[in-house]
Amino acid sequence: MQADILHLEQELNIVEYEDKRSDDKSRASLHASFFNLKESSGERHDVQWNKVKEIQEKLGLYNRALFLFSRVQALPNPCMRDLNTLQKWLDRPEGGDLFLQGREADTWSRQNDVLTLSQFHTDRDALTGVMNDMIIPWFYNLCSRWDKRQGRQNEDSNGVWHYQYDRMMVVLNAISTVLSSLLPSTSIFVLYFLRNPIARLAAIMVFTTIFSSTLLLVTKARRIDIFAATTARTRFAAVQAVFVGGSGLDPT
């Protein structure tokens, strides 16, 4: 389409040059007055105006195609694990059983040419990714091996396991809530039992690192947000150390 527009532009330049050199004053003025160019529609020297309209239509199609292409490019690629699962299912006799033949058999073989409409893998945090890509497959593989040992092979599963995303999110939200509650209180508890100032400073560094790592794991915060939250957490830890150190309580 770009090449077509370039050719139309070249043709417009040729028509404009011919009109400019014409002895007809009304035709010669078309290149300098858009009003005259528009009014030439339907007359014998309306070639330049028709070429302009042709370019306008072609540019409209090009802009729409460009917009749609940008929307398609914004769609994410599928997760490699999900794509591999689909490829294995298509190959298994109890699954797809190689029902795609010929050129269609390569439809799912190249990840870069495959898109997904689901935003699950782009709008998730690191903890959700670990749960979905590592823990759940490990759990199901463990259950599958256990079923084989017990002779309870599920003939209807076809090697594909199903789980409810909402239930997984309930578990992840519970984990996030527990972590957000335990981290501050655990740091106070540990600092209370440390008498050595150097040990307290080391504990503050350890808990600050755990805090920033947990923040990266359970949220989709930007690096600058994590840095700001960690700085605030460090100041809070310093207040904790002063408070515990000046409490005058003997843990022993």
Side-chain angles (χ1 to χ4, degrees), residues 85-99 105:
T85 300
L86 175 60
Q87 292 170 349
K88 292 178 181 178
W89 181 87
L90 290 171
D91 294 340
R92 283 198 301 269
E94 67 275 13
D97 195 20
L98 299 174
F99 74 94

Side-chain angles (χ1 to χ4, degrees), residues 164-222:
Q164 294 185 4
Y165 175 73
D166 294 339
R167 293 185 178 181
M168 183 184 73
M169 292 307 301
V170 169
V171 175
L172 293 177
N173 291 335
I175 294 174
S176 301
T177 302
V178 171
L179 289 176
S180 63
S181 303
L182 285 180
L183 278 179
S185 56
T186 303
S187 62
I188 296 175
F189 185 80
V190 172
L191 290 175
Y192 173 74
F193 281 95
L194 293 178
R195 298 289 91 187
N196 191 321
I198 301 300
R200 284 183 176 178
L201 291 176
I204 291 175
M205 294 175 60
V206 171
F207 278 104
T208 301
T209 303
I210 295 175
F211 171 79
S212 59
S213 301
T214 304
L215 195 63
L216 178 64
L217 185 65
V218 301
T219 68
K220 295 181 291 185
R222 300 173 301 173

Side-chain angles (χ1 to χ4, degrees), residues 99-110:
F99 74 94
L100 292 176
Q101 301 294 328
R103 189 67 180 89
E104 292 84 354
D106 297 331
T107 302
W108 311 103
S109 61
R110 293 174 292 183

Side-chain angles (χ1 to χ4, degrees), residues 107-247:
T107 302
W108 311 103
S109 61
R110 293 174 292 183
Q111 185 189 20
N112 294 333
D113 293 338
V114 182
L115 302 175
T116 176
L117 299 179
S118 173
Q119 300 296 321
F120 172 73
H121 295 289
T122 57
D123 295 338
R124 66 180 185 177
D125 52 58
L127 182 60
T128 306
V130 171
M131 177 69 75
N132 184 76
D133 297 339
M134 299 177 62
I135 297 179
I136 291 180
W138 172 82
F139 176 75
Y140 279 137
N141 289 333
L142 183 64
C143 292
S144 179
R145 289 195 298 267
W146 175 259
D147 288 341
K148 288 181 180 179
R149 292 177 182 178
Q150 300 298 320
R152 296 195 302 263
Q153 182 72 16
N154 188 356
E155 299 297 337
D156 296 330
S157 65
N158 292 330
V160 179
W161 295 86
H162 301 274
Y163 65 93
Q164 294 185 4
Y165 175 73
D166 294 339
R167 293 185 178 181
M168 183 184 73
M169 292 307 301
V170 169
V171 175
L172 293 177
N173 291 335
I175 294 174
S176 301
T177 302
V178 171
L179 289 176
S180 63
S181 303
L182 285 180
L183 278 179
S185 56
T186 303
S187 62
I188 296 175
F189 185 80
V190 172
L191 290 175
Y192 173 74
F193 281 95
L194 293 178
R195 298 289 91 187
N196 191 321
I198 301 300
R200 284 183 176 178
L201 291 176
I204 291 175
M205 294 175 60
V206 171
F207 278 104
T208 301
T209 303
I210 295 175
F211 171 79
S212 59
S213 301
T214 304
L215 195 63
L216 178 64
L217 185 65
V218 301
T219 68
K220 295 181 291 185
R222 300 173 301 173
R223 288 190 296 269
I224 183 62
D225 297 329
I226 296 177
F227 182 82
T230 304
T231 303
R233 173 65 180 84
T234 304
R235 294 179 180 177
F236 175 69
V239 174
Q240 285 181 339
V242 173
F243 173 76
V244 174
S247 61

